[in-house]
Amino acid sequence: MPDQSIPQARTATEVSEAAESAGGRGISRRALLGTAGATGLVLGAAGGAVGYTAAPAPATPLTSVGSDRAMFHGKHQPGITEGLQARSHLVAFDLTAGAGRKEAAALLRRWSTTAERLMTGEAAPHDDTDVARDAGPSSLTITFGFGYSFFGKTGLEKQRPSALDPLPDFSSDHLDKARSDGDLWVQIGANDALVAFHALRAIQKDAGGAARIRWQMNGFNRTPGATAHPMTARNLMGQLDGTRNPKPADTDFDRRIFVPSSGEPAWMANGSYAVVRRIRMLLDDWEKLSVPAQEAVIGRRKSNGAPLSGGDETTLMDLEKTDAKGEYVVPLNAHARITRPDKNGGAAMLRRPFSYHDGFDADGTPDAGLLFVCWQADPLRGFVPVQRKLDRGDALSQYIRHEASGLFAVPGGAAKGEYVGQRLLEG
């Protein structure tokens, strides 16, 4: 009997038809890998007969990491409620001289087309670099937002949300203006480094002559599957980061994180506001502390994120619990105590940060820390009150330094056939 594991040969016509049915240039990287393998053909034999050769074995299926896919179209933009990805690029653009509303609309249309294709694992619509040719979507998300300055340059000042007013100054700020703000902001996240870079390069090329890069930052997190079970991410201080994050299952999640469908301005319906902060961690100083001292600064156990008052990571912190000396078990200036929503008038934000490492200073000090990204329906009721309170006495403040900042209005998701921001730019 013939070996049933040997795949059947395919004719040139069959392969051509397969490629044509897949949409010509639109054929996916995954389809390319599994169709004719690009090597299943030989040149026609003498006399015009079609040549045959055994097709290669079917491509190995993508792993779960590669096959995971986020949706571009929807009520909200991607990259907000999805799980943290392993790699990220945050990039801000400024419109070039002479570029206005018309050019911005064309740019967002190009960006949206590119984002939709890349998030499905397809090639960029033009001039694809093939960097991610062999990979699947890898949970790629691409998110777009508008900065305060965008509205003046496009003649849309009347459509600028009041929630986008510049953030107040904080005493912990040591901001580099060149790495802050921007007309347009793009957040790219993926579970594969090449997929993330491929998206970054495509977005940059799409900008063309309409916009230039103002700043760009690279981030990372633990790769999904690297731990025995899903868990809250750790930051570069070794602490679990995001324990008390609002969850989509919470009954008030949408109210806290997204602008309501009836909100103002109308083009921001179902959108959100992203605060972006580059927070340098003074790791040399931090790592000199004993573990108990580090835990006192944060208010939680380093090993499992449990509050110092007892329990596990999800146990509600008992702020009134005292020790044998009558002192609070969770210090008054502990970071976790100060940031509790019930101690900030209910202020809540969805933290979705990435760690970064940009090398070392001349003295060997690591330039590393957190690309802090948080989402809320209104930053004046989310980020600002919490940061003001931290500014007044957070024990963590002497171990971190805020070096860059931005605030961006991120409109709701694009419907099929729309591009992100269309209701603003064509309204």
Side-chain angles (χ1 to χ4, degrees), residues 146-366:
F146 303 104
Y148 184 91
S149 55
F150 175 84
F151 297 84
K153 294 181 180 180
T154 54
L156 292 165
E157 293 96 331
K158 292 183 179 179
Q159 291 297 322
R160 181 164 50 209
S162 58
L164 201 57
D165 287 349
L167 297 173
D169 293 331
F170 302 105
S171 63
S172 59
D173 287 352
H174 295 77
L175 303 182
D176 178 356
K177 297 298 183 182
R179 292 194 294 182
S180 299
D181 304 318
D183 297 340
L184 293 157
W185 175 67
V186 184
Q187 174 190 252
I188 297 167
N191 283 330
D192 179 78
L194 286 180
V195 169
F197 177 82
H198 178 245
L200 173 65
R201 186 69 177 127
I203 290 296
Q204 180 204 4
K205 290 170 69 176
D206 275 349
R212 59 176 176 80
I213 290 179
R214 177 182 177 88
W215 55 259
Q216 190 252 316
M217 303 173 189
N218 307 314
F220 59 91
N221 278 307
R222 178 174 279 155
T223 301
T227 55
H229 54 82
M231 59 181 293
T232 306
R234 290 190 185 272
N235 59 35
L236 297 188
M237 287 179 161
Q239 302 289 152
L240 295 183
D241 194 333
T243 294
R244 297 292 298 172
N245 251 350
K247 295 176 176 56
D250 297 342
T251 56
D252 59 352
F253 180 85
D254 280 4
R255 178 178 62 81
R256 291 169 177 253
I257 307 305
F258 294 110
V259 176
S261 56
S262 59
E264 293 293 335
W267 66 268
M268 271 297 290
N270 303 313
S272 189
Y273 292 90
V275 174
V276 183
R277 308 277 280 185
R278 184 181 189 273
I279 304 175
R280 184 163 179 169
M281 294 177 172
L282 309 181
L283 295 177
D284 284 347
D285 295 334
W286 174 255
E287 291 164 4
K288 291 175 183 175
L289 297 178
S290 66
V291 170
Q294 292 176 351
E295 292 177 339
V297 168
I298 302 299
R300 290 183 175 276
R301 299 294 178 199
K302 192 172 185 178
S303 60
N304 61 3
L308 297 184
S309 55
D312 59 24
E313 183 186 357
T314 61
T315 301
L316 187 64
M317 185 176 288
D318 183 354
L319 300 182
E320 302 304 319
K321 187 174 182 178
T322 57
D323 59 19
K325 298 179 180 179
E327 297 178 352
Y328 287 117
V329 173
V330 180
L332 289 173
N333 62 350
H335 183 77
R337 175 189 281 267
I338 293 174
T339 57
R340 285 235 326 217
D342 58 354
K343 297 298 179 182
N344 292 280
M349 50 195 164
L350 176 65
R351 298 167 54 93
R352 202 172 183 277
F354 293 86
S355 295
Y356 78 87
H357 178 223
D358 289 340
F360 297 84
D361 293 345
D363 62 358
T365 302

